[in-house]
Short mmCIF file of all heavy atoms in Angstrom, two decimals:
data_model
loop_
_atom_site.label_atom_id
_atom_site.label_comp_id
_atom_site.label_asym_id
_atom_site.label_seq_id
_atom_site.Cartn_x
_atom_site.Cartn_y
_atom_site.Cartn_z
N MET A 20 -48.27 -45.16 -30.89
CA MET A 20 -49.26 -46.28 -30.55
C MET A 20 -49.07 -47.43 -31.57
O MET A 20 -48.97 -48.49 -31.07
CB MET A 20 -50.69 -45.63 -30.57
CG MET A 20 -51.74 -46.58 -30.14
SD MET A 20 -51.73 -46.47 -28.29
CE MET A 20 -53.33 -47.25 -28.06
N ARG A 21 -48.97 -47.11 -32.81
CA ARG A 21 -48.86 -48.18 -33.76
C ARG A 21 -47.56 -49.03 -33.53
O ARG A 21 -47.59 -50.22 -33.61
CB ARG A 21 -48.78 -47.66 -35.26
CG ARG A 21 -48.28 -48.52 -36.28
CD ARG A 21 -47.94 -47.99 -37.65
NE ARG A 21 -47.09 -46.80 -37.60
CZ ARG A 21 -45.73 -46.94 -37.65
NH1 ARG A 21 -45.10 -48.13 -37.69
NH2 ARG A 21 -44.89 -45.83 -37.62
N VAL A 22 -46.45 -48.36 -33.30
CA VAL A 22 -45.30 -49.03 -33.07
C VAL A 22 -45.38 -50.00 -31.83
O VAL A 22 -44.81 -51.12 -31.95
CB VAL A 22 -44.06 -47.95 -32.95
CG1 VAL A 22 -42.83 -48.65 -32.51
CG2 VAL A 22 -43.95 -47.14 -34.36
N ILE A 23 -45.84 -49.45 -30.89
CA ILE A 23 -46.00 -50.23 -29.63
C ILE A 23 -46.87 -51.43 -29.80
O ILE A 23 -46.52 -52.57 -29.43
CB ILE A 23 -46.40 -49.30 -28.50
CG1 ILE A 23 -45.40 -48.37 -27.99
CG2 ILE A 23 -46.80 -50.26 -27.26
CD1 ILE A 23 -45.74 -47.31 -26.98
N LEU A 24 -48.13 -51.18 -30.39
CA LEU A 24 -49.04 -52.25 -30.58
C LEU A 24 -48.48 -53.31 -31.65
O LEU A 24 -48.59 -54.59 -31.14
CB LEU A 24 -50.35 -51.70 -31.12
CG LEU A 24 -51.21 -50.91 -29.99
CD1 LEU A 24 -52.45 -50.30 -30.56
CD2 LEU A 24 -51.49 -51.66 -28.69
N ASP A 25 -47.88 -52.91 -32.57
CA ASP A 25 -47.31 -53.83 -33.57
C ASP A 25 -46.24 -54.73 -32.87
O ASP A 25 -46.23 -55.91 -33.08
CB ASP A 25 -46.79 -53.13 -34.73
CG ASP A 25 -47.69 -52.66 -35.79
OD1 ASP A 25 -48.92 -52.84 -35.50
OD2 ASP A 25 -47.39 -52.15 -36.78
N ASN A 26 -45.43 -54.12 -32.08
CA ASN A 26 -44.33 -54.83 -31.44
C ASN A 26 -44.76 -55.75 -30.34
O ASN A 26 -44.15 -56.70 -30.03
CB ASN A 26 -43.28 -53.87 -31.01
CG ASN A 26 -42.24 -53.41 -32.17
OD1 ASN A 26 -41.41 -54.25 -32.45
ND2 ASN A 26 -42.60 -52.44 -32.81
N ILE A 27 -45.80 -55.46 -29.78
CA ILE A 27 -46.34 -56.36 -28.59
C ILE A 27 -47.03 -57.61 -29.24
O ILE A 27 -47.03 -58.67 -28.57
CB ILE A 27 -47.20 -55.78 -27.51
CG1 ILE A 27 -48.48 -55.15 -28.06
CG2 ILE A 27 -46.41 -54.57 -26.87
CD1 ILE A 27 -49.41 -54.83 -27.07
N VAL A 28 -47.67 -57.53 -30.45
CA VAL A 28 -48.23 -58.60 -30.99
C VAL A 28 -47.41 -59.30 -32.13
O VAL A 28 -47.73 -60.39 -32.57
CB VAL A 28 -49.68 -58.38 -31.47
CG1 VAL A 28 -50.52 -57.91 -30.43
CG2 VAL A 28 -49.63 -57.28 -32.63
N GLY A 29 -46.42 -58.69 -32.53
CA GLY A 29 -45.44 -59.27 -33.63
C GLY A 29 -46.09 -59.17 -35.01
O GLY A 29 -45.56 -59.94 -35.88
N CYS A 30 -46.93 -58.21 -35.31
CA CYS A 30 -47.47 -58.01 -36.73
C CYS A 30 -48.37 -56.81 -36.66
O CYS A 30 -48.32 -56.04 -35.63
CB CYS A 30 -48.38 -59.27 -37.18
SG CYS A 30 -49.78 -59.59 -36.01
N ALA A 31 -48.92 -56.45 -37.76
CA ALA A 31 -49.81 -55.22 -37.79
C ALA A 31 -50.95 -55.49 -36.66
O ALA A 31 -51.60 -56.51 -36.76
CB ALA A 31 -50.51 -55.06 -39.05
N TRP A 32 -51.12 -54.66 -35.64
CA TRP A 32 -51.90 -54.90 -34.55
C TRP A 32 -53.31 -55.24 -34.89
O TRP A 32 -53.93 -56.13 -34.22
CB TRP A 32 -51.80 -53.66 -33.45
CG TRP A 32 -52.39 -52.42 -34.04
CD1 TRP A 32 -51.82 -51.39 -34.61
CD2 TRP A 32 -53.83 -52.02 -33.92
NE1 TRP A 32 -52.67 -50.47 -34.91
CE2 TRP A 32 -54.02 -50.83 -34.56
CE3 TRP A 32 -54.97 -52.78 -33.43
CZ2 TRP A 32 -55.07 -50.15 -34.64
CZ3 TRP A 32 -56.14 -51.99 -33.57
CH2 TRP A 32 -56.32 -50.74 -34.14
N TYR A 33 -53.85 -54.57 -35.89
CA TYR A 33 -55.31 -54.85 -36.21
C TYR A 33 -55.57 -56.31 -36.79
O TYR A 33 -56.64 -56.70 -36.93
CB TYR A 33 -55.67 -53.70 -37.30
CG TYR A 33 -54.87 -53.54 -38.45
CD1 TYR A 33 -54.74 -54.50 -39.45
CD2 TYR A 33 -53.91 -52.46 -38.50
CE1 TYR A 33 -53.93 -54.35 -40.65
CE2 TYR A 33 -53.04 -52.28 -39.53
CZ TYR A 33 -53.09 -53.18 -40.58
OH TYR A 33 -52.29 -52.98 -41.68
N GLU A 34 -54.48 -57.05 -37.01
CA GLU A 34 -54.64 -58.38 -37.45
C GLU A 34 -55.03 -59.23 -36.22
O GLU A 34 -55.43 -60.36 -36.38
CB GLU A 34 -53.35 -58.87 -38.11
CG GLU A 34 -53.17 -58.22 -39.53
CD GLU A 34 -51.90 -58.76 -40.08
OE1 GLU A 34 -51.26 -59.63 -39.64
OE2 GLU A 34 -51.44 -58.13 -41.15
N VAL A 35 -54.68 -58.75 -34.97
CA VAL A 35 -54.86 -59.56 -33.71
C VAL A 35 -55.91 -58.88 -32.85
O VAL A 35 -56.60 -59.60 -32.13
CB VAL A 35 -53.46 -59.66 -33.07
CG1 VAL A 35 -53.61 -60.32 -31.74
CG2 VAL A 35 -52.45 -60.37 -33.95
N ILE A 36 -55.93 -57.58 -32.72
CA ILE A 36 -56.76 -56.83 -31.82
C ILE A 36 -57.78 -56.11 -32.57
O ILE A 36 -57.62 -55.33 -33.49
CB ILE A 36 -55.92 -55.82 -31.06
CG1 ILE A 36 -54.65 -56.45 -30.34
CG2 ILE A 36 -56.75 -55.02 -30.10
CD1 ILE A 36 -53.62 -55.54 -29.80
N PRO A 37 -59.06 -56.22 -32.19
CA PRO A 37 -60.17 -55.57 -32.80
C PRO A 37 -60.00 -54.07 -32.52
O PRO A 37 -59.52 -53.63 -31.51
CB PRO A 37 -61.41 -56.07 -32.17
CG PRO A 37 -61.02 -57.41 -31.54
CD PRO A 37 -59.51 -57.30 -31.21
N SER A 38 -60.43 -53.30 -33.46
CA SER A 38 -60.54 -51.80 -33.33
C SER A 38 -61.79 -51.39 -32.53
O SER A 38 -62.82 -51.89 -32.68
CB SER A 38 -60.34 -51.07 -34.70
OG SER A 38 -60.19 -49.77 -34.56
N PRO A 39 -61.56 -50.36 -31.74
CA PRO A 39 -60.46 -49.64 -31.33
C PRO A 39 -59.60 -50.43 -30.28
O PRO A 39 -60.16 -51.05 -29.39
CB PRO A 39 -60.91 -48.24 -30.69
CG PRO A 39 -62.28 -48.80 -30.16
CD PRO A 39 -62.77 -49.74 -31.01
N ALA A 40 -58.29 -50.35 -30.56
CA ALA A 40 -57.39 -51.15 -29.77
C ALA A 40 -57.49 -50.85 -28.22
O ALA A 40 -57.45 -51.73 -27.42
CB ALA A 40 -55.91 -50.93 -30.17
N TYR A 41 -57.68 -49.59 -27.95
CA TYR A 41 -57.67 -49.28 -26.48
C TYR A 41 -58.81 -49.89 -25.59
O TYR A 41 -58.78 -50.03 -24.57
CB TYR A 41 -57.51 -47.74 -26.18
CG TYR A 41 -58.75 -46.95 -26.84
CD1 TYR A 41 -59.95 -46.91 -26.05
CD2 TYR A 41 -58.65 -46.40 -28.16
CE1 TYR A 41 -60.97 -46.18 -26.66
CE2 TYR A 41 -59.72 -45.80 -28.74
CZ TYR A 41 -60.90 -45.65 -27.87
OH TYR A 41 -61.96 -44.96 -28.54
N ASN A 42 -59.83 -50.23 -26.51
CA ASN A 42 -61.02 -50.88 -25.88
C ASN A 42 -60.90 -52.36 -25.86
O ASN A 42 -61.66 -53.00 -25.10
CB ASN A 42 -62.34 -50.47 -26.53
CG ASN A 42 -62.84 -49.12 -26.02
OD1 ASN A 42 -62.50 -48.66 -24.87
ND2 ASN A 42 -63.60 -48.47 -26.94
N ASN A 43 -59.98 -52.89 -26.68
CA ASN A 43 -60.05 -54.28 -26.86
C ASN A 43 -58.74 -55.10 -26.47
O ASN A 43 -58.62 -56.24 -26.79
CB ASN A 43 -60.36 -54.59 -28.33
CG ASN A 43 -61.68 -54.24 -28.67
OD1 ASN A 43 -62.61 -54.75 -28.16
ND2 ASN A 43 -61.92 -53.24 -29.55
N LEU A 44 -57.74 -54.43 -25.86
CA LEU A 44 -56.65 -54.99 -25.32
C LEU A 44 -56.90 -55.99 -24.20
O LEU A 44 -57.69 -55.57 -23.35
CB LEU A 44 -55.51 -54.00 -24.84
CG LEU A 44 -54.87 -53.07 -25.91
CD1 LEU A 44 -54.07 -51.90 -25.09
CD2 LEU A 44 -53.98 -53.79 -26.87
N THR A 45 -56.27 -57.06 -24.18
CA THR A 45 -56.34 -57.92 -22.96
C THR A 45 -55.47 -57.26 -21.90
O THR A 45 -54.66 -56.41 -22.14
CB THR A 45 -55.80 -59.35 -23.30
OG1 THR A 45 -54.37 -59.12 -23.55
CG2 THR A 45 -56.42 -60.02 -24.45
N ASP A 46 -55.64 -57.68 -20.64
CA ASP A 46 -54.74 -57.23 -19.54
C ASP A 46 -53.25 -57.41 -19.89
O ASP A 46 -52.48 -56.68 -19.65
CB ASP A 46 -55.18 -57.83 -18.25
CG ASP A 46 -56.50 -57.34 -17.77
OD1 ASP A 46 -57.02 -56.25 -18.27
OD2 ASP A 46 -57.12 -58.10 -16.82
N GLU A 47 -53.06 -58.58 -20.40
CA GLU A 47 -51.56 -59.05 -20.73
C GLU A 47 -51.07 -57.97 -21.80
O GLU A 47 -49.81 -57.52 -21.65
CB GLU A 47 -51.58 -60.38 -21.30
CG GLU A 47 -50.16 -60.81 -21.52
CD GLU A 47 -50.06 -62.28 -21.92
OE1 GLU A 47 -50.30 -63.17 -21.11
OE2 GLU A 47 -49.88 -62.58 -23.11
N GLN A 48 -51.82 -57.74 -22.92
CA GLN A 48 -51.41 -56.80 -23.86
C GLN A 48 -51.17 -55.35 -23.40
O GLN A 48 -50.30 -54.69 -23.71
CB GLN A 48 -52.42 -56.84 -25.01
CG GLN A 48 -52.37 -58.18 -25.81
CD GLN A 48 -53.57 -58.24 -26.77
OE1 GLN A 48 -54.78 -57.70 -26.45
NE2 GLN A 48 -53.40 -58.97 -27.88
N ALA A 49 -52.15 -55.02 -22.57
CA ALA A 49 -52.17 -53.72 -21.97
C ALA A 49 -50.80 -53.42 -21.07
O ALA A 49 -50.10 -52.48 -21.17
CB ALA A 49 -53.24 -53.22 -21.16
N SER A 50 -50.54 -54.62 -20.25
CA SER A 50 -49.22 -54.50 -19.43
C SER A 50 -48.01 -54.47 -20.38
O SER A 50 -47.03 -53.72 -20.02
CB SER A 50 -49.26 -55.68 -18.50
OG SER A 50 -50.31 -55.64 -17.65
N ALA A 51 -48.03 -55.25 -21.49
CA ALA A 51 -46.92 -55.30 -22.29
C ALA A 51 -46.67 -53.90 -23.02
O ALA A 51 -45.53 -53.43 -23.10
CB ALA A 51 -47.08 -56.35 -23.37
N ALA A 52 -47.85 -53.45 -23.42
CA ALA A 52 -47.72 -52.09 -24.17
C ALA A 52 -47.21 -50.95 -23.03
O ALA A 52 -46.33 -50.14 -23.46
CB ALA A 52 -49.16 -51.63 -24.52
N LEU A 53 -47.66 -50.95 -21.85
CA LEU A 53 -47.20 -50.12 -20.84
C LEU A 53 -45.63 -50.25 -20.65
O LEU A 53 -44.93 -49.34 -20.55
CB LEU A 53 -47.98 -50.13 -19.56
CG LEU A 53 -47.44 -49.27 -18.42
CD1 LEU A 53 -47.63 -47.87 -18.76
CD2 LEU A 53 -48.36 -49.59 -17.18
N ASN A 54 -45.27 -51.56 -20.49
CA ASN A 54 -43.82 -51.86 -20.25
C ASN A 54 -42.93 -51.34 -21.41
O ASN A 54 -41.87 -50.67 -21.16
CB ASN A 54 -43.63 -53.30 -20.03
CG ASN A 54 -42.27 -53.81 -19.76
OD1 ASN A 54 -41.54 -53.10 -18.94
ND2 ASN A 54 -41.77 -54.85 -20.31
N LEU A 55 -43.44 -51.57 -22.70
CA LEU A 55 -42.67 -51.11 -23.86
C LEU A 55 -42.59 -49.68 -23.90
O LEU A 55 -41.58 -49.13 -24.18
CB LEU A 55 -43.28 -51.78 -25.16
CG LEU A 55 -42.41 -51.63 -26.48
CD1 LEU A 55 -40.99 -51.91 -26.28
CD2 LEU A 55 -43.14 -52.27 -27.50
N ALA A 56 -43.74 -48.98 -23.63
CA ALA A 56 -43.77 -47.48 -23.60
C ALA A 56 -42.65 -46.97 -22.63
O ALA A 56 -42.01 -46.01 -22.89
CB ALA A 56 -45.12 -47.04 -23.29
N ARG A 57 -42.64 -47.57 -21.46
CA ARG A 57 -41.65 -47.17 -20.48
C ARG A 57 -40.27 -47.35 -20.89
O ARG A 57 -39.34 -46.55 -20.70
CB ARG A 57 -42.05 -47.90 -19.12
CG ARG A 57 -43.17 -47.39 -18.41
CD ARG A 57 -43.33 -48.11 -17.15
NE ARG A 57 -44.51 -47.57 -16.41
CZ ARG A 57 -45.23 -48.22 -15.57
NH1 ARG A 57 -45.02 -49.51 -15.38
NH2 ARG A 57 -46.23 -47.65 -14.86
N GLN A 58 -40.01 -48.53 -21.62
CA GLN A 58 -38.65 -48.76 -22.03
C GLN A 58 -38.28 -47.75 -23.19
O GLN A 58 -37.12 -47.31 -23.28
CB GLN A 58 -38.57 -50.13 -22.69
CG GLN A 58 -38.59 -51.29 -21.65
CD GLN A 58 -38.62 -52.63 -22.22
OE1 GLN A 58 -37.80 -52.87 -23.20
NE2 GLN A 58 -39.46 -53.57 -21.73
N ILE A 59 -39.26 -47.31 -24.09
CA ILE A 59 -39.01 -46.41 -25.08
C ILE A 59 -38.68 -44.98 -24.32
O ILE A 59 -37.71 -44.28 -24.75
CB ILE A 59 -40.24 -46.22 -26.00
CG1 ILE A 59 -40.32 -47.49 -26.80
CG2 ILE A 59 -40.04 -44.85 -26.89
CD1 ILE A 59 -41.73 -47.61 -27.57
N ALA A 60 -39.52 -44.62 -23.33
CA ALA A 60 -39.36 -43.35 -22.67
C ALA A 60 -37.95 -43.27 -21.96
O ALA A 60 -37.39 -42.24 -21.96
CB ALA A 60 -40.49 -43.08 -21.67
N THR A 61 -37.45 -44.41 -21.51
CA THR A 61 -36.15 -44.34 -20.79
C THR A 61 -35.05 -44.67 -21.68
O THR A 61 -33.87 -44.92 -21.22
CB THR A 61 -36.23 -45.32 -19.56
OG1 THR A 61 -36.55 -46.62 -20.10
CG2 THR A 61 -37.26 -44.89 -18.54
N GLU A 62 -35.38 -44.82 -23.01
CA GLU A 62 -34.32 -45.17 -24.07
C GLU A 62 -33.65 -46.60 -23.74
O GLU A 62 -32.52 -46.80 -24.09
CB GLU A 62 -33.41 -44.12 -24.13
CG GLU A 62 -34.05 -42.71 -24.57
CD GLU A 62 -33.11 -41.58 -24.80
OE1 GLU A 62 -31.76 -41.75 -24.55
OE2 GLU A 62 -33.54 -40.51 -25.26
N ASN A 63 -34.37 -47.42 -23.20
CA ASN A 63 -33.80 -48.89 -23.00
C ASN A 63 -34.00 -49.66 -24.21
O ASN A 63 -33.43 -50.76 -24.37
CB ASN A 63 -34.46 -49.47 -21.75
CG ASN A 63 -34.05 -48.90 -20.44
OD1 ASN A 63 -32.87 -48.51 -20.35
ND2 ASN A 63 -34.90 -48.98 -19.50
N VAL A 64 -34.91 -49.26 -25.07
CA VAL A 64 -35.02 -49.89 -26.47
C VAL A 64 -35.02 -48.78 -27.46
O VAL A 64 -35.49 -47.50 -27.19
CB VAL A 64 -36.31 -50.68 -26.54
CG1 VAL A 64 -36.26 -51.85 -25.58
CG2 VAL A 64 -37.63 -49.95 -26.34
N SER A 65 -34.74 -49.08 -28.62
CA SER A 65 -34.62 -48.04 -29.65
C SER A 65 -36.05 -47.92 -30.46
O SER A 65 -36.53 -48.95 -31.07
CB SER A 65 -33.51 -48.47 -30.79
OG SER A 65 -33.66 -47.68 -31.97
N LEU A 66 -36.58 -46.69 -30.30
CA LEU A 66 -37.89 -46.44 -31.14
C LEU A 66 -37.62 -46.58 -32.58
O LEU A 66 -38.44 -47.12 -33.32
CB LEU A 66 -38.30 -44.99 -30.89
CG LEU A 66 -39.56 -44.64 -31.42
CD1 LEU A 66 -40.72 -45.58 -31.19
CD2 LEU A 66 -39.91 -43.20 -31.05
N HIS A 67 -36.47 -46.23 -33.10
CA HIS A 67 -36.12 -46.39 -34.40
C HIS A 67 -36.27 -47.95 -34.86
O HIS A 67 -36.79 -48.24 -36.04
CB HIS A 67 -34.73 -45.80 -34.83
CG HIS A 67 -34.31 -45.97 -36.19
ND1 HIS A 67 -34.79 -45.30 -37.22
CD2 HIS A 67 -33.52 -46.87 -36.77
CE1 HIS A 67 -34.28 -45.63 -38.37
NE2 HIS A 67 -33.43 -46.63 -38.08
N VAL A 68 -35.61 -48.81 -34.08
CA VAL A 68 -35.64 -50.19 -34.46
C VAL A 68 -37.00 -50.76 -34.41
O VAL A 68 -37.48 -51.47 -35.27
CB VAL A 68 -34.78 -50.88 -33.52
CG1 VAL A 68 -34.91 -52.49 -33.63
CG2 VAL A 68 -33.25 -50.65 -33.72
N LEU A 69 -37.82 -50.38 -33.40
CA LEU A 69 -39.16 -50.86 -33.23
C LEU A 69 -40.05 -50.35 -34.48
O LEU A 69 -40.88 -51.04 -34.95
CB LEU A 69 -39.83 -50.37 -31.94
CG LEU A 69 -39.11 -50.85 -30.72
CD1 LEU A 69 -39.82 -50.17 -29.39
CD2 LEU A 69 -39.27 -52.33 -30.54
N ASN A 70 -39.73 -49.13 -34.85
CA ASN A 70 -40.56 -48.45 -36.08
C ASN A 70 -40.15 -49.24 -37.27
O ASN A 70 -41.04 -49.57 -38.13
CB ASN A 70 -40.20 -47.03 -36.21
CG ASN A 70 -41.09 -46.36 -37.21
OD1 ASN A 70 -42.27 -46.51 -37.28
ND2 ASN A 70 -40.51 -45.64 -38.04
N GLN A 71 -38.95 -49.52 -37.50
CA GLN A 71 -38.47 -50.40 -38.67
C GLN A 71 -39.25 -51.75 -38.66
O GLN A 71 -39.65 -52.17 -39.76
CB GLN A 71 -36.94 -50.54 -38.73
CG GLN A 71 -36.17 -49.26 -38.87
CD GLN A 71 -36.55 -48.47 -40.00
OE1 GLN A 71 -37.03 -49.00 -41.03
NE2 GLN A 71 -36.37 -47.16 -39.90
N ARG A 72 -39.34 -52.46 -37.52
CA ARG A 72 -40.01 -53.66 -37.54
C ARG A 72 -41.50 -53.40 -37.88
O ARG A 72 -42.07 -54.38 -38.72
CB ARG A 72 -39.99 -54.24 -36.14
CG ARG A 72 -38.59 -55.01 -35.77
CD ARG A 72 -38.83 -55.69 -34.35
NE ARG A 72 -37.58 -55.72 -33.83
CZ ARG A 72 -37.43 -55.82 -32.49
NH1 ARG A 72 -38.45 -55.68 -31.68
NH2 ARG A 72 -36.11 -55.99 -32.02
N SER A 73 -42.05 -52.49 -37.34
CA SER A 73 -43.48 -52.19 -37.57
C SER A 73 -43.71 -52.03 -39.06
O SER A 73 -44.67 -52.50 -39.73
CB SER A 73 -43.97 -51.07 -36.78
OG SER A 73 -45.24 -50.69 -37.06
N LYS A 74 -42.90 -51.24 -39.64
CA LYS A 74 -42.97 -50.94 -41.12
C LYS A 74 -42.80 -52.17 -41.96
O LYS A 74 -43.43 -52.44 -42.94
CB LYS A 74 -42.00 -49.88 -41.48
CG LYS A 74 -42.38 -48.44 -41.03
CD LYS A 74 -41.49 -47.50 -41.63
CE LYS A 74 -41.92 -46.09 -41.27
NZ LYS A 74 -40.93 -45.08 -41.84
N GLN A 75 -41.88 -53.08 -41.56
CA GLN A 75 -41.59 -54.30 -42.23
C GLN A 75 -42.90 -55.20 -42.18
O GLN A 75 -43.29 -55.80 -43.21
CB GLN A 75 -40.40 -55.09 -41.65
CG GLN A 75 -39.14 -54.48 -42.12
CD GLN A 75 -37.98 -55.13 -41.41
OE1 GLN A 75 -38.15 -55.81 -40.34
NE2 GLN A 75 -36.81 -55.16 -42.08
N TRP A 76 -43.53 -55.24 -41.14
CA TRP A 76 -44.79 -56.01 -40.91
C TRP A 76 -45.77 -55.51 -41.81
O TRP A 76 -46.73 -56.07 -42.29
CB TRP A 76 -45.21 -56.16 -39.56
CG TRP A 76 -44.40 -56.92 -38.64
CD1 TRP A 76 -43.80 -58.19 -39.03
CD2 TRP A 76 -43.99 -56.66 -37.27
NE1 TRP A 76 -42.99 -58.66 -37.87
CE2 TRP A 76 -43.14 -57.74 -36.85
CE3 TRP A 76 -44.20 -55.58 -36.37
CZ2 TRP A 76 -42.61 -57.73 -35.58
CZ3 TRP A 76 -43.64 -55.66 -35.07
CH2 TRP A 76 -42.86 -56.74 -34.75
N ARG A 77 -45.85 -54.10 -42.12
CA ARG A 77 -46.76 -53.54 -42.87
C ARG A 77 -46.32 -53.24 -44.24
O ARG A 77 -46.90 -52.61 -45.07
CB ARG A 77 -47.11 -52.16 -42.26
CG ARG A 77 -47.90 -52.32 -40.94
CD ARG A 77 -47.77 -51.17 -40.09
NE ARG A 77 -48.51 -51.32 -38.86
CZ ARG A 77 -49.74 -51.04 -38.75
NH1 ARG A 77 -50.49 -50.39 -39.75
NH2 ARG A 77 -50.39 -51.15 -37.55
N ASP A 78 -45.14 -53.77 -44.76
CA ASP A 78 -44.64 -53.63 -46.04
C ASP A 78 -44.46 -52.16 -46.48
O ASP A 78 -44.76 -51.89 -47.60
CB ASP A 78 -45.43 -54.50 -47.03
CG ASP A 78 -45.40 -55.90 -46.84
OD1 ASP A 78 -44.30 -56.43 -46.50
OD2 ASP A 78 -46.44 -56.57 -47.05
N LYS A 79 -43.98 -51.42 -45.58
CA LYS A 79 -43.84 -50.03 -45.86
C LYS A 79 -42.32 -49.74 -46.06
O LYS A 79 -41.44 -50.54 -45.74
CB LYS A 79 -44.37 -49.15 -44.77
CG LYS A 79 -45.82 -49.22 -44.64
CD LYS A 79 -46.33 -48.19 -43.68
CE LYS A 79 -47.85 -48.24 -43.74
NZ LYS A 79 -48.52 -47.21 -42.86
N GLN A 80 -41.95 -48.61 -46.64
CA GLN A 80 -40.61 -48.13 -46.89
C GLN A 80 -39.94 -48.22 -45.52
O GLN A 80 -40.44 -47.83 -44.48
CB GLN A 80 -40.50 -46.81 -47.36
CG GLN A 80 -40.95 -45.73 -46.68
CD GLN A 80 -41.04 -44.39 -47.45
OE1 GLN A 80 -41.01 -44.36 -48.64
NE2 GLN A 80 -41.17 -43.27 -46.70
N LEU A 81 -38.59 -48.49 -45.54
CA LEU A 81 -37.83 -48.61 -44.28
C LEU A 81 -37.20 -47.29 -44.05
O LEU A 81 -35.94 -47.15 -44.10
CB LEU A 81 -36.75 -49.72 -44.34
CG LEU A 81 -37.46 -51.09 -44.48
CD1 LEU A 81 -36.23 -52.16 -44.77
CD2 LEU A 81 -38.36 -51.47 -43.40
N LYS A 82 -37.93 -46.21 -43.80
CA LYS A 82 -37.47 -44.88 -43.55
C LYS A 82 -38.18 -44.29 -42.34
O LYS A 82 -39.38 -44.33 -42.36
CB LYS A 82 -37.60 -44.12 -44.75
CG LYS A 82 -37.08 -42.67 -44.73
CD LYS A 82 -37.24 -42.05 -46.12
CE LYS A 82 -36.81 -40.57 -46.04
NZ LYS A 82 -37.13 -39.91 -47.32
N LEU A 83 -37.47 -43.81 -41.42
CA LEU A 83 -38.09 -43.16 -40.13
C LEU A 83 -38.44 -41.73 -40.62
O LEU A 83 -37.74 -40.94 -40.97
CB LEU A 83 -37.05 -43.18 -38.98
CG LEU A 83 -37.68 -42.63 -37.79
CD1 LEU A 83 -38.77 -43.56 -37.20
CD2 LEU A 83 -36.60 -42.61 -36.72
N GLU A 84 -39.72 -41.43 -40.43
CA GLU A 84 -40.31 -40.09 -40.81
C GLU A 84 -41.13 -39.67 -39.58
O GLU A 84 -41.99 -40.34 -39.14
CB GLU A 84 -41.07 -40.04 -42.02
CG GLU A 84 -40.29 -40.44 -43.24
CD GLU A 84 -41.14 -40.44 -44.45
OE1 GLU A 84 -42.36 -40.32 -44.37
OE2 GLU A 84 -40.55 -40.65 -45.51
N PHE A 85 -40.92 -38.47 -39.09
CA PHE A 85 -41.70 -37.73 -38.02
C PHE A 85 -42.23 -36.58 -38.58
O PHE A 85 -41.72 -35.85 -39.34
CB PHE A 85 -40.93 -37.62 -36.84
CG PHE A 85 -40.58 -38.84 -35.91
CD1 PHE A 85 -39.27 -39.31 -35.93
CD2 PHE A 85 -41.56 -39.50 -35.35
CE1 PHE A 85 -39.12 -40.44 -35.18
CE2 PHE A 85 -41.30 -40.66 -34.70
CZ PHE A 85 -40.15 -41.12 -34.67
#
């Protein structure tokens, strides 16, 4: 969820969307999130790359950990 939300708004999602995000997404943001989730599921975009971007926006270490 963090990775998707960060990537649809281009920064840490909570800087743009009030918490809880699922109650406060605009229709456009919800559509963008669904589209990105589908792209991740079908491997049309790299989850690893999206996660790295999200971590950079949050000034975290650039290491994928699950």
Side-chain angles (χ1 to χ4, degrees):
M20 186 84 161
R21 167 189 54 85
V22 172
I23 291 172
L24 291 176
D25 284 1
N26 278 276
I27 65 167
V28 298
C30 62
W32 67 265
Y33 48 77
E34 294 176 7
V35 177
I36 304 167
S38 188
Y41 62 86
N42 278 339
N43 293 299
L44 291 173
T45 65
D46 289 342
E47 183 178 288
Q48 290 166 331
S50 292
L53 179 59
N54 183 43
L55 186 54
R57 286 180 174 152
Q58 289 180 43
I59 292 167
T61 58
E62 298 181 354
N63 288 328
V64 296
S65 169
L66 179 58
H67 177 74
V68 170
L69 297 174
N70 188 49
Q71 295 305 331
R72 280 188 206 150
S73 175
K74 286 182 174 184
Q75 285 176 333
W76 289 319
R77 292 161 177 268
D78 294 323
K79 293 190 177 180
Q80 65 185 17
L81 300 178
K82 183 176 173 187
L83 184 65
E84 296 177 356
F85 286 109

